[in-house]
Amino acid sequence: MTSPVLALRRAILDIAETDGELKALMGGALRLHDEPPRAAAPVYALFGDVTAEDWSTDFDRGHEQSLNLVVWAERGSARTALAVAEHFAAILDDAPLMLDGHRLINLRVTELASARDKDTQLTRVTLRLRAVTEVE
């Protein structure tokens, strides 16, 4: 059985890869990573913290996930980071994603928060998502 976390990440990558406007906002290519890319200048996004809790019923095994996407942009580029995060929100909120080994019941954007990193002064925008999935 595929992990519900990995299945959701793969589906997010798949839908984001097909979005030309998102790629344009990110400099011409999808820049969504598991870890910060070495020596890469922002703007890029990372899969952030995630939790997957049991959401099973008497009839189906399922999970409720809380997932963060974190967008990083250069100093003075809060507008860019917000535009990328808002576009991720637009393509992901209530999206009918296809997950390997799981059925997506719903996917909602629950929060968008912007902050400046104290050490680097880079802009960081965190997009919080909630997903409910069932095992197929």
Side-chain angles (χ1 to χ4, degrees), residues 9-134:
R9 282 185 177 200
R10 178 76 259 163
I12 289 170
L13 281 166
D14 289 345
I15 194 171
E17 186 61 47
T18 65
D19 194 286
E21 187 176 341
L22 178 62
K23 288 188 208 179
L25 287 169
M26 299 185 94
L30 178 63
R31 301 179 71 202
L32 175 55
H33 309 283
D34 290 323
E35 299 292 332
R38 287 184 188 215
V43 67
Y44 58 80
L46 302 174
F47 285 107
D49 295 340
V50 62
T51 59
E53 297 183 24
D54 183 52
W55 193 258
S56 298
T57 67
D58 289 340
F59 305 105
D60 295 301
R61 283 192 57 218
H63 299 88
E64 177 186 36
Q65 293 184 52
S66 176
L67 168 75
N68 292 342
L69 291 180
V70 183
V71 178
W72 291 90
E74 291 287 351
R75 292 175 63 173
S77 296
R79 182 179 304 230
T80 301
L82 286 165
V84 169
E86 288 173 354
H87 198 81
F88 268 116
I91 65 172
L92 294 174
D93 191 57
D94 209 25
L97 303 180
M98 301 301 294
L99 280 64
D100 182 29
H102 300 268
R103 182 175 42 259
L104 182 64
I105 304 305
N106 73 11
L107 176 62
R108 301 300 299 187
V109 173
T110 61
E111 184 178 16
L112 188 143
S114 179
R116 187 160 320 280
D117 184 78
K118 293 178 211 172
D119 297 326
T120 64
Q121 295 302 303
L122 296 176
T123 299
R124 179 183 68 240
V125 179
T126 303
L127 184 67
R128 289 184 176 81
L129 305 167
R130 176 190 178 266
V132 176
T133 60
E134 292 178 346

